[in-house]
Amino acid sequence: GKLFPWLDPTRTSTNKEVVVPDLMHPLHVFFGMPRRIRLEFDEQLCAVGYRSVPGGMNYPGDAWRHPLSPYYKDAKGQVLPSHPRAGPSSYRDWLGILVNRDDSLRASCLNPLVDRLERVSVARSDRRTDIVAFGYDQDKAKSRSFVCQSVPWVSAANAQTFGDAVAAGVAAAEATAKAVRYAVQLVCHGEVEINEKGNASINLRDEGKKSAEDVYHAFFARSEPDFRIYLDAVAPIELFEDGRDARAVFANACRRVARQLFATYVDNGAREHAMRRSVLAEKWLNVALNAPSAKSFVFKPLQLTVQEAANG
């Protein structure tokens, strides 16, 4: 307790060391320890080595939230930092930065910017204000890649409505990206079956389930300009229902990008060597993109009617 006043003196040897906010400088949050390190001394009190102790530091409460990180609440109500997902960064990671229904979960470093923009009423259409978001994609304690994105800051008329619209757009884009990836997987690794009536169906073999990841990421890269247009379109609306036209336009943009990607990846040699698989995969993709009643329909999050979904 005297040598390390920031530690909770009531902890047991089996607990994580708890950092007491009142006894530690706030900048300590920038140097959080993922594990505890213990120095080993010889008889002359010279450090001769060290050993690590599992558990690391425990930073309880709101006082230890990192100012550069947005947060979210999990199913148990626990507040956790938002992390980018593996792979190339894209607008699928913008939700925790651009949209946060609870202002208290927003990265606190953005609060001065938000206050300033609200005072001068700067709209995205008037002045292109972007936020640079960056960080590391990690696998446990190993840093795998550096992530950097320029995220548009949008002044919305209704934060709740805007958040719902953005979440719906990201969900639809995610489903579309998975659909076109699956369609390409079917072309390359599908297995065609003919039933007794002569009808053909296609299923994905196990070895193809982790393929075509480049198709998935390419969808987000190609559709980002359309998503930025979608953000501008839904920013002024007060009610979610008022954004039907904008959601239909974005759905149509996703269709266009998905078809272009499928054609690009399949026509580059695959169709010639797997004609039947290509035809069946394209048929499946058309159902996913155009049939609201189908289980595989990708635009359900956008809550469009049959006609709107078909004619966006």
Side-chain angles (χ1 to χ4, degrees), residues 279-298:
V279 171
L280 291 174
E282 190 168 13
K283 180 180 178 181
W284 180 91
L285 181 61
N286 284 331
V287 171
L289 296 175
N290 297 286
S293 59
K295 184 178 180 180
S296 58
F297 184 60
V298 300

Side-chain angles (χ1 to χ4, degrees), residues 147-308:
V147 178
C148 185
Q149 273 274 303
S150 179
V151 182
W153 185 261
V154 181
S155 298
N158 185 302
Q160 179 69 42
T161 298
F162 182 68
D164 292 341
V166 174
V170 170
E174 180 91 15
T176 308
K178 290 179 178 178
V180 67
R181 176 183 62 186
Y182 184 72
V184 173
Q185 289 173 339
L186 288 176
V187 175
C188 300
H189 302 280
E191 183 174 349
V192 178
E193 297 181 359
I194 308 296
N195 62 19
E196 298 176 352
K197 297 181 179 180
N199 297 323
S201 61
I202 186 169
N203 296 296
L204 182 63
R205 297 194 298 268
D206 289 342
E207 64 266 24
K209 291 182 178 179
K210 293 184 179 181
S211 63
E213 283 301 307
D214 54 338
V215 179
Y216 173 83
H217 295 300
F219 175 85
F220 287 99
R222 293 196 185 185
S223 62
E224 182 175 322
D226 298 290
F227 186 72
R228 286 176 175 262
I229 293 173
Y230 173 70
L231 294 180
D232 287 337
V234 297
I237 64 175
E238 293 285 351
L239 300 174
F240 186 79
E241 290 300 309
D242 297 337
R244 283 186 175 276
D245 290 343
R247 298 198 303 276
V249 170
F250 182 63
N252 199 40
C254 289
R255 282 193 193 90
R256 184 190 71 251
V257 173
R259 289 172 179 146
Q260 290 173 348
L261 281 173
F262 182 82
T264 298
Y265 280 85
V266 174
D267 287 343
N268 284 344
R271 190 185 297 275
E272 179 181 352
H273 301 289
M275 180 62 72
R276 178 171 287 180
R277 294 201 303 266
S278 299
V279 171
L280 291 174
E282 190 168 13
K283 180 180 178 181
W284 180 91
L285 181 61
N286 284 331
V287 171
L289 296 175
N290 297 286
S293 59
K295 184 178 180 180
S296 58
F297 184 60
V298 300
F299 298 122
K300 291 178 181 178
L302 295 179
Q303 301 179 29
L304 300 174
T305 65
V306 175
Q307 184 175 2
E308 289 168 333

Side-chain angles (χ1 to χ4, degrees), residues 17-186:
E17 293 179 338
V18 178
V19 180
V20 181
D22 293 340
L23 300 178
M24 176 55 65
H25 195 285
L27 291 180
H28 191 276
V29 73
F30 287 95
F31 304 93
M33 295 174 61
R35 66 181 62 197
R36 289 175 282 178
I37 294 177
R38 294 291 178 264
L39 295 178
E40 296 179 349
F41 297 89
D42 60 14
E43 295 179 355
Q44 285 74 39
L45 297 181
C46 294
V48 294
Y50 76 92
R51 56 188 173 88
S52 61
V53 181
M57 294 292 197
N58 187 14
Y59 299 87
D62 295 342
W64 292 114
R65 289 189 190 176
H66 200 291
L68 301 182
S69 296
Y71 286 76
Y72 71 98
K73 290 183 180 179
D74 64 8
K76 298 180 181 180
Q78 184 179 8
V79 177
L80 300 172
S82 297
H83 297 291
R85 285 173 283 184
S89 56
S90 67
Y91 63 83
R92 63 183 180 146
D93 296 317
W94 290 1
L95 279 176
I97 304 168
L98 181 62
V99 176
N100 219 322
R101 293 178 176 85
D102 186 346
D103 288 345
S104 66
L105 301 179
R106 181 170 54 213
S108 60
C109 65
L110 294 179
N111 290 334
L113 170 66
V114 175
D115 294 339
R116 193 157 55 243
L117 292 180
E118 289 179 350
R119 285 198 303 271
V120 298
S121 299
V122 174
R124 176 170 162 75
S125 58
D126 299 327
R127 190 179 299 174
R128 296 286 173 174
T129 303
D130 281 20
I131 299 168
V132 177
F134 55 90
Y136 284 97
D137 166 33
Q138 290 192 293
D139 179 14
K140 296 182 179 178
K142 181 189 299 182
S143 295
R144 295 186 294 187
S145 62
F146 182 75
V147 178
C148 185
Q149 273 274 303
S150 179
V151 182
W153 185 261
V154 181
S155 298
N158 185 302
Q160 179 69 42
T161 298
F162 182 68
D164 292 341
V166 174
V170 170
E174 180 91 15
T176 308
K178 290 179 178 178
V180 67
R181 176 183 62 186
Y182 184 72
V184 173
Q185 289 173 339
L186 288 176

